[in-house]
Amino acid sequence: MQLGRTTLSKFLIEQLHEVDDNGQLAGLLVDVAAAMKSIAAMTAKGALGGFHGAIETTNVQGEVQKKLDVLSNDALIDACEWGGTLAGMISEENEDPIRIPSEFKRGRYLLNFDPLDGSSNIDVNVSVGTIFSVLLHDKDSEPTIDDFLQVGRRQVAAGYAIYGPATMLVLTVGKGTHAFTLDREIGNFILTHENLRIPVDTGEFAINTSNERFWEPPVSRYVEECKAGKTGIRGRDFNMRWIASMVADVHRILMRGGVFLYPRDTKDPKKPGRLRLLYEANPVSFIIEQAGGASSHGRGPILDLPAESPHQRVAVIFGSKNEVERIERYHAEFDSGVDQPYISPLFSNRSLYRSEAI
Ligand code: F6P
Ligand code: MN
């Protein structure tokens, strides 16, 4: 244990001392962190934990052996429902909002979460994570679905855990983005990265290019320009990374910059984007903006997008500010007809901006 360093609890006492809620938000975040420690312990067992596999099986007693995403969901619900801090929860794993059982005191916050992000990576021992968003429910009544459908700008806290070589918790309560590393032997989250700042420029992008034929033209334009590298209008080479756990891609961007896209595509007309607004895009956007980055759905900030349903999907473009703004500009130029792919760039008003190349 590294003595003389800031633990999560001390950090929360300092950051939230002005919030007049009897310590409910700090208490909730400590409970969320407790669930993350338990999920970290399960993921770290790997194949030895018996949690692998996508199909539910039954043991000899006939009990269902749950998959890790379901166990992670249970860990979060168990850790957070009893503490008198929550009025309700929405989880990726539950179709309907989760009610606080009547034997527990109801609190003034709502918790939206993705218990195990990137779960396709569980069985191959690649980093996964937990993402959460906290909203205020300043009413005595049981929350309705509408109470959860708040615009992302109203989040009071957001964070994620990444279960990688080290387990880390990244958090914002609207006063910058800060990261804690789990000291596994002691069980404490220790502040290791205060006030993270995402570089405004980057030479690294992340997108699943197997979807290329379904993208909108402004996204194809951006990626083509990155791929053209030194020989194209950007005048520099780019690097590409795709982990397929959003949390892990976000974490890399927070640590060294980059841009992540899961854009709108036509692959499945029922899904205008892959990621979910309430418990993936909104919390990550809050974290990114608090670290000086930008987050957009291509046509405006994600944090200003009205929420319409609990599991609503949204296009996501976030990371280094200048790249996100460039991609937004490409969308605007396409929408206004300035940049239509059937017009030769020589004759269109497309912004070539070679001088802006970085
Ligand atoms: O939660 C959705 C998610 O698993 C993200 O973590 C990840 O970025 C994305 O889906 C991976 O998508 P794909 O399977 O298209 O690579
Ligand atoms: Mn996810």
Side-chain angles (χ1 to χ4, degrees):
M1 160 82 161
Q2 303 213 35
L3 296 172
R5 299 195 72 167
T6 305
T7 60
L8 175 66
S9 310
K10 180 163 186 284
F11 176 88
L12 292 174
I13 291 166
E14 283 168 8
Q15 286 243 319
L16 298 174
H17 70 274
E18 282 164 354
V19 180
D20 181 20
D21 69 350
N22 288 324
Q24 279 193 34
L25 182 54
L28 169 61
L29 296 173
V30 167
D31 286 343
V32 169
M36 289 166 165
K37 290 177 200 173
S38 128
I39 299 167
M42 289 190 279
T43 54
K45 286 198 167 81
L48 300 176
F51 306 132
H52 279 188
I55 300 162
E56 286 189 353
T57 54
T58 51
N59 64 18
V60 283
Q61 282 84 244
E63 295 164 333
V64 174
Q65 291 175 312
K66 295 175 182 172
K67 294 173 291 182
L68 204 48
D69 47 5
V70 178
L71 286 166
S72 305
N73 196 38
D74 291 348
L76 273 152
I77 296 169
D78 292 349
C80 300
E81 67 181 0
W82 64 278
T85 61
L86 281 183
M89 300 178 243
I90 280 183
S91 165
E92 184 188 317
E93 299 297 328
N94 298 64
E95 195 175 338
D96 299 319
I98 302 160
R99 296 167 72 102
I100 302 302
S102 55
E103 67 262 37
F104 301 130
K105 229 177 114 197
R106 222 172 31 216
R108 61 188 301 214
Y109 293 102
L110 303 172
L111 181 70
N112 300 333
F113 58 86
D114 174 356
L116 207 60
D117 176 62
S119 34
S120 70
N121 279 326
I122 294 170
D123 292 355
V124 291
N125 196 25
V126 169
S127 298
V128 289
T130 297
I131 314 169
F132 71 93
S133 157
V134 183
L135 299 164
L136 189 60
H137 178 70
D138 223 357
K139 308 174 184 170
D140 291 331
S141 53
E142 179 78 25
T144 62
I145 287 189
D146 280 349
D147 290 318
F148 286 92
L149 302 181
Q150 299 182 32
V151 71
R153 200 66 73 191
R154 294 186 61 186
Q155 291 171 103
V156 294
Y160 66 79
I162 176 165
Y163 312 112
T167 290
M168 290 183 73
L169 165 59
V170 176
L171 183 72
T172 184
V173 295
K175 296 178 184 174
T177 293
H178 313 279
F180 302 79
T181 303
L182 180 63
D183 181 331
R184 284 182 207 264
E185 283 71 41
I186 307 294
N188 265 341
F189 275 113
I190 305 290
L191 181 63
T192 46
H193 300 68
E194 201 169 357
N195 249 322
L196 286 164
R197 303 303 293 169
I198 301 173
V200 291
D201 292 314
T202 183
E204 214 161 63
F205 67 102
I207 190 166
N208 183 346
T209 49
S210 71
N211 294 325
E212 193 161 357
R213 68 188 186 281
F214 304 111
W215 294 340
E216 291 185 282
V219 172
S220 303
R221 172 184 172 188
Y222 177 74
V223 173
E224 281 311 311
E225 290 178 0
C226 290
K227 287 195 300 186
K230 276 198 178 111
T231 60
I233 69 142
R234 299 301 302 271
R236 65 171 291 180
D237 288 335
F238 281 76
N239 194 13
M240 205 283 280
R241 288 284 180 271
W242 186 251
I243 302 176
S245 288
M246 182 182 57
V247 153
D249 281 310
V250 172
H251 196 69
R252 185 191 59 255
I253 288 168
L254 271 173
M255 293 292 149
R256 69 175 190 213
V259 62
F260 173 99
L261 302 94
Y262 216 117
R264 203 164 87 172
D265 62 39
T266 55
K267 197 172 180 179
D268 179 348
K270 291 195 291 294
K271 293 181 187 165
R274 169 94 150 92
L275 300 168
R276 273 59 54 104
L277 179 64
L278 288 192
Y279 42 80
E280 293 181 317
N282 273 344
V284 164
S285 300
F286 192 15
I287 290 163
I288 295 269
E289 282 201 5
Q290 284 291 314
S295 176
S296 168
H297 49 80
R299 294 168 169 97
I302 286 178
L303 290 178
D304 294 330
L305 191 73
E308 285 161 5
S309 62
H311 302 285
Q312 174 181 345
R313 292 175 193 263
V314 63
V316 164
I317 299 155
F318 58 68
S320 293
K321 208 170 183 176
N322 288 343
E323 290 305 294
V324 176
E325 285 175 5
R326 175 185 284 269
I327 300 166
E328 272 200 330
R329 192 174 76 231
Y330 288 5
H331 281 78
E333 288 182 0
F334 176 73
D335 291 350
S336 66
V338 172
D339 177 43
Q340 294 291 345
Y342 49 83
I343 304 173
S344 158
L346 285 176
F347 300 104
S348 81
N349 295 320
R350 168 188 271 204
S351 58
L352 294 174
Y353 293 114
R354 194 178 171 113
S355 57
E356 280 183 16
I358 43 166

